[in-house]
Amino acid sequence: MITLHRAPWVLPISSPVIADGAVIVDDEHILAVGAYADLRHGAYARIVDHGSRILMPGLVNCHCHLELSAFAGLAQQPVEPGNMPAWIASLLKLRASTGDADIEICEAALAAQYADGVGLLVDIGNAPCPRAGGYGGVDVQYFTELLGLSRQGTDHGLKTLADNDAGHKFTCHAPYSTSSALLQAVKGRARLAGQLYPIHVAESRDEVEFLHTGQGRFRIFLEERGVWDGSFAAPGTGAISYLARLDILDDRTLCVHCVHLDDHEIDLLAQKNARVCLCPGSNRFLGVGQASPAKMLAAGIRPGLGTDSVASNPELSMWREMAILAADHPELDPATILAMATLYGAEALGDKGKGRLEAGSTSRLLGVGFEGQEPLEFLVRDHDAKDVIWL
Ligand SMILES: [Zn+2]
């Protein structure tokens, strides 16, 4: 059934805002986007006028750990700013005592994401997800995360890879928690299968120190956990330089966080066409610092955004991520911030049918209640929950 949706504001994202716009859809795809005056004369089965709504694509959450949804309490307590090892230790202690969220809690978290306007999400977990592939209305890209810096940890990770067929998607936690052999084995497998490879990168100063020197709070943390066997040789560089040296950066590698990069590493990311996901809410909560989106954009990188989990973020809201980014980086224009939460995220995940309103993209549109004259400012700077419907 061909439907014309009319609204006072249509935000295609990949092209400028249209006042009094229209989106024509069939049951699966967008057929046309433009001014209502240009599209109104056609044979439509249905014309729907969305009086006071913005029409836009669904949001794309590029980084989340739904299995940590039971640990919301962690992000409700103060942390020592910037002390990642201490936060990880508290998380591991909680996980050991209570276990991860069961499937009902994960599904509730996902349903909340959908109700908030998220249509595509990357979920990373340590246990295989029983509902991988899409549930609760959101398209989910699920990855099982491997890590292991010691010889024993590496062998365990390699065995897990060998025990699973190529359709099972794996990724690695981070360069400071995963040996070079395991980082390369998982990337090699993902590359062969054409799969995305999300990885936490350059999140904290502790990580930078550990990769440069093999010392610092992460070294102490690993020793205290009994997983330091001396086999890890610090590369003596930052995380991105290290991943480049291991031939891990390409257009299917999604570098998550990217807070502590020097200019050379930003250039390296751009040269390799590697993808980036920023998590401003989690970074703010943990006090690890702020990424440099303006420099990345100037280098030609188009970062997506992610909420990370409730263990490091008091609220899982992509609207709030945009508002934090806008507050932290007043130099960014609202259209770019909205593109990061939609189009750039979908590009980073390799999904060409989402994140934009164009002929051929998904007919599942978002309608956001709004009465005013500055829709971009409203969407990007307003922290409050939105009146969101899916069309
Ligand atoms: Zn994460």
Side-chain angles (χ1 to χ4, degrees):
M1 181 167 70
I2 296 181
T3 302
L4 181 148
H5 294 288
R6 179 187 185 183
W9 303 103
V10 172
L11 274 53
I13 310 295
S14 52
S15 55
V17 174
I18 305 166
D20 194 10
V23 183
I24 299 166
V25 300
D26 65 15
D27 292 339
E28 290 185 15
H29 298 108
I30 292 176
L31 303 177
V33 180
Y36 174 69
D38 296 335
L39 296 175
R40 60 191 289 195
H41 301 293
Y44 307 119
R46 207 165 58 118
I47 294 181
V48 185
D49 192 329
H50 301 276
S52 56
R53 287 195 182 273
I54 297 164
L55 299 190
M56 59 174 283
L59 302 169
V60 180
N61 186 349
C62 291
H63 186 71
C64 192
H65 308 265
L66 292 176
E67 73 182 14
L68 302 184
S69 296
F71 307 130
L74 217 49
Q76 306 300 329
Q77 303 159 6
V79 289
E80 183 191 335
N83 191 343
M84 276 285 293
W87 174 80
I88 293 174
S90 338
L91 175 61
L92 293 176
K93 199 171 155 195
L94 254 181
R95 289 185 90 161
S97 63
T98 64
D100 289 340
D102 57 28
I103 187 66
E104 283 78 19
I105 296 176
C106 293
E107 284 184 344
L110 197 56
Q113 287 284 291
Y114 183 68
D116 204 30
V118 173
L120 173 62
L121 175 143
V122 169
D123 182 25
I124 293 170
N126 299 115
C129 178
R131 302 280 181 90
Y135 41 97
V138 185
D139 287 336
V140 177
Q141 295 189 11
Y142 179 79
F143 297 84
T144 303
E145 181 181 79
L146 299 179
L147 71 169
L149 201 61
S150 64
R151 285 194 188 89
Q152 192 184 9
T154 301
D155 289 346
H156 184 263
L158 294 174
K159 184 174 181 320
T160 305
L161 285 184
D163 288 346
N164 284 275
D165 64 43
H168 192 130
K169 293 189 281 189
F170 286 95
T171 189
C172 290
H173 174 252
Y176 66 84
S177 61
T178 314
S179 68
S180 57
L182 192 52
L183 287 169
Q184 287 178 311
V186 176
K187 177 61 191 180
R189 190 180 191 275
R191 195 174 261 148
L192 270 179
Q195 293 163 353
L196 192 70
Y197 180 79
I199 179 167
H200 300 89
V201 175
E203 185 173 0
S204 68
R205 290 197 189 286
D206 291 301
E207 173 181 346
V208 175
E209 181 185 9
F210 182 66
L211 292 179
H212 271 94
T213 68
Q215 300 298 326
R217 290 193 291 214
F218 268 124
R219 168 71 174 268
I220 296 165
F221 170 81
L222 292 164
E223 286 177 346
E224 284 176 354
R225 286 188 61 76
V227 292
W228 176 261
D229 66 358
S231 61
F232 175 74
T237 66
I240 292 298
S241 301
Y242 177 42
L243 294 183
R245 191 195 297 169
L246 296 178
D247 188 28
I248 278 173
L249 297 180
D250 60 27
D251 65 350
R252 298 296 280 153
T253 296
L254 179 64
C255 298
V256 180
H257 292 297
C258 290
V259 175
H260 297 284
L261 304 184
D262 59 28
D263 291 352
H264 167 67
E265 290 186 302
I266 291 175
D267 287 344
L268 255 180
L269 281 172
Q271 278 168 28
K272 302 283 185 186
N273 201 18
R275 308 300 169 161
V276 169
C277 167
L278 306 180
C279 302
S282 173
N283 296 158
R284 178 184 276 192
F285 172 75
L286 292 173
V288 291
Q290 295 174 7
S292 305
K295 277 188 180 178
M296 292 176 185
L297 289 158
I301 298 163
R302 285 152 68 105
L305 295 181
T307 57
D308 221 325
S309 80
V310 290
S312 69
N313 199 343
E315 213 181 310
L316 291 202
S317 159
M318 288 293 291
W319 306 108
R320 183 171 167 275
E321 296 303 314
M322 285 190 270
I324 290 174
L325 200 67
D328 288 348
H329 303 278
E331 72 277 15
L332 299 178
D333 71 84
T336 301
I337 293 175
L338 190 62
M340 291 166 75
T342 51
L343 175 62
Y344 297 177
E347 286 175 348
L349 306 189
D351 192 331
K352 294 188 173 72
K354 298 200 178 64
R356 67 186 89 185
L357 304 187
E358 278 179 16
S361 48
T362 177
S363 60
R364 292 173 63 213
L365 317 177
L366 213 56
V368 185
F370 171 66
E371 290 184 28
Q373 292 303 311
E374 298 288 346
L376 286 168
E377 294 284 335
F378 165 73
L379 293 174
V380 166
R381 296 197 199 281
D382 181 0
H383 276 246
D384 296 339
K386 304 285 185 292
D387 164 20
V388 166
I389 57 168
W390 283 96
L391 308 185

